[in-house]
Amino acid sequence: MLIAVEGIDGAGKTSLIRDLARHLVAGGAPVTCVRRYLLQEVTALWWRLIEADDLDQRGSAHLAAADYRVGVERVIRPAISGGSVVFADKYYYSHLVYFALRGIDLDALRSYFGDPLVPDLVLHVRVPVETALARLVDRKGKPDLLECGLDYRVGLSIGAAFARWGLGGAPLDLRLAHFRQHQDAASTLLPSLLPEGVTVTLDATADPADVLAAALAAMSDAAAATGLSRS
């Protein structure tokens, strides 16, 4: 069973996955947790290219697509076949949002990624942008350069932006202003990209126990529909 957890940065996706995984593991179910970039080798290559300032947004999108397509076959499908519930902390849909907000046409992006593996369930963790920002801002270096879109929005190459500020070193007022605008655009675009029929939207401003209960109920419904199997 594949469960994608989607939402803007700061929505609480990682915390929800942690709680869901703990609940399943306590009940004896095998769990595999993955993030949007699936292969460490590709992530390491991305960072090397950024440090060399030798990667533009389109090249980054192609690299992400290669990571996704290989990662599905190498990581996700084997885990599902082995009986694991796979939680994806951001998934294909977040890739589309990420690169669309950096100027790449959606149709082109879809052609890069090919035919995606549709999850059995998408949990759309939804909060207002200001709520997400409040959850991030007390953490050192947050919101970071990528969460604010500063690798694109200020007219610098990805490598030049990182060379100037690092991941979390841009002036706070600059990060706050761009986070609001960037994540507002993300919160508008993301719901339109999520697959119909398997997406459940969770109000993540509610009490965490209530959010967890709603997510578990959605998982139970999805499991009944799929028989807990996916080829």
Side-chain angles (χ1 to χ4, degrees), residues 20-182:
L20 289 170
R22 286 175 177 171
H23 179 88
L24 293 186
V25 169
V31 171
T32 299
C33 297
V34 299
R35 297 185 68 84
R36 181 171 51 136
Y37 283 87
L38 296 164
L39 305 175
Q40 292 183 354
E41 307 97 311
V42 177
T43 300
L45 174 59
W46 188 86
W47 280 111
R48 289 199 301 272
L49 292 169
I50 294 306
E51 290 170 0
D53 196 10
D54 199 23
L55 191 67
D56 62 10
Q57 298 293 346
R58 190 171 298 277
S60 186
H62 279 293
L63 198 61
D67 173 270
Y68 173 77
R69 294 171 76 164
V70 176
V72 165
E73 301 305 321
R74 185 188 293 180
V75 179
I76 293 179
R77 287 191 187 275
I80 295 171
S81 296
S84 278
V85 175
V86 178
F87 290 105
D89 188 349
K90 294 188 177 182
Y91 187 60
Y92 162 75
Y93 314 104
S94 281
H95 272 309
L96 296 183
V97 171
Y98 181 95
F99 289 109
L101 295 185
R102 286 164 170 82
I104 310 298
D105 178 75
L106 274 170
D107 288 337
L109 286 170
R110 290 187 175 101
S111 72
Y112 300 166
F113 282 87
D115 188 20
L117 177 62
V118 178
D120 299 289
L121 174 65
V122 177
L123 296 174
H124 178 203
V125 183
R126 190 154 200 175
V127 296
V129 171
E130 288 299 324
T131 301
L133 180 58
R135 292 174 175 179
L136 290 172
V137 75
D138 288 336
R139 295 159 56 186
K140 184 177 180 180
K142 291 287 189 174
D144 66 34
L145 181 145
L146 295 174
E147 293 164 343
C148 301
L150 295 181
D151 57 309
Y152 177 77
R153 294 176 57 86
V154 295
L156 296 174
S157 68
I158 312 171
F162 271 96
R164 178 176 294 187
W165 294 308
L167 187 59
L172 181 59
D173 58 347
L174 182 69
R175 285 186 279 131
L176 295 182
H178 282 280
F179 180 89
R180 290 185 173 100
Q181 296 173 35
H182 188 67

Side-chain angles (χ1 to χ4, degrees), residues 1 105 202 226:
M1 185 178 190
D105 178 75
L202 304 175
T226 63

